[in-house]
Amino acid sequence: MGLIVLQTDETIEPEFNTYFADRSCPIYVSRIPSGAEVSKDTLAQMENALPMAADLLPKARPYRVVGYGCTSASSVIGSEVVESMVQRTCDAAVVTNPLRAASACAASLGVAKFALLSPYIEEVNNPLRRAFAENGISMDVFGSFGEAEESKVVRISQQSVVDAAMKLGADSAVEAVFISCTNLRTFDAIAEIQKRLGKPVLSSNQSLAWHMRELNRR
């Protein structure tokens, strides 16, 4: 498997090391240039950088699956375009991303009404909610930390994530919670939120890891 990680991301690799601690095959990682701030413009710019980042993955053998580790950029660029750009330079059977992965995970769980918790500013949140809606997932209940700087997103505390997710997920209108952004630390928060809410809790990294594992088995 292959994984394309944002230059600014400090979280996805250590979390993937835990999610895939039992893996029998390696995950090769490449980095893609990304802006210090998250905006529609900086996210869109990654489209043209995707082929170069994918080209840096080792070419000894084809990949069953490659993951692109950016939820918000996938909503701006589009999952199909992301896959096409990666496959230009990388022999990958399938390409997934957190948006596509979370949608698949939601379908597997049989849930479609989510509360969304994100770190993003509204110009990034809006296309993300629209993209999920196109996949049949409503996110009418949502909240954000309103943070544009990537270096600050990774330093949002676990307790802040838990408290915010609990508040959103307590709404009786939602069936599950999605915590967006691969740079937001969620691994240790998910179990606590899920136990207290009694509802499924997904995150960008958890969903992407699950989907890559599922696709790799096919």
Side-chain angles (χ1 to χ4, degrees):
M1 293 186 284
L3 179 65
I4 298 173
V5 178
L6 271 58
Q7 179 183 355
T8 52
D9 198 313
E10 301 175 43
T11 303
I12 189 170
E13 285 176 281
E15 290 203 350
F16 260 48
N17 285 337
T18 305
Y19 281 121
F20 287 97
D22 63 341
R23 67 180 181 266
S24 57
C25 63
I27 298 176
Y28 296 105
V29 177
S30 176
R31 290 265 173 172
I32 184 170
S34 55
E37 293 192 357
V38 183
S39 69
K40 284 184 69 176
D41 289 340
T42 60
L43 294 171
Q45 288 169 7
M46 279 191 277
E47 177 179 342
N48 292 328
L50 273 167
M52 183 179 295
D55 193 37
L56 294 174
L57 289 166
K59 299 181 183 297
R61 57 182 63 87
Y63 292 84
R64 294 179 68 88
V65 57
V66 170
Y68 169 50
C70 190
T71 322
S72 51
S74 296
S75 72
V76 172
I77 300 169
S79 293
E80 292 76 16
V81 176
V82 167
E83 182 166 61
S84 174
M85 297 299 276
V86 170
Q87 289 175 333
R88 282 190 185 184
T89 56
C90 178
D91 186 1
V94 64
V95 179
T96 187
N97 62 72
L99 169 62
R100 177 175 277 180
S103 299
C105 195
S108 176
L109 292 170
V111 291
K113 296 179 180 179
F114 275 77
L116 168 67
L117 174 61
S118 92
Y120 314 123
I121 57 177
E122 274 308 284
E123 72 170 76
V124 176
N125 288 325
N126 289 332
L128 180 63
R129 291 196 298 270
R130 284 197 299 270
F132 272 111
E134 290 170 1
N135 289 341
I137 297 171
S138 65
M139 292 183 165
D140 297 330
V141 176
F142 59 90
S144 174
F145 293 107
E147 184 55 66
E149 293 184 46
E150 280 281 14
S151 62
K152 293 182 179 178
V153 169
V154 68
R155 285 162 183 84
I156 295 172
S157 72
Q158 178 181 321
Q159 192 58 53
S160 295
V161 172
V162 170
D163 291 344
M166 287 296 303
K167 184 176 180 179
L168 295 171
D171 193 308
S172 60
V174 304
E175 302 170 318
V177 175
F178 179 65
I179 307 172
S180 189
C181 188
T182 60
N183 205 17
L184 194 62
R185 294 176 295 172
T186 60
F187 182 85
D188 293 322
I190 291 175
E192 179 181 350
I193 301 165
Q194 192 161 271
K195 181 178 180 180
R196 290 169 60 183
L197 277 182
K199 298 177 181 181
V201 179
L202 309 181
S203 76
S204 292
N205 290 339
Q206 170 268 333
S207 297
L208 184 59
W210 174 85
H211 200 214
M212 289 177 66
R213 189 187 291 270
E214 290 295 305
L215 292 170
N216 192 52
R217 288 171 177 162
R218 296 177 185 176

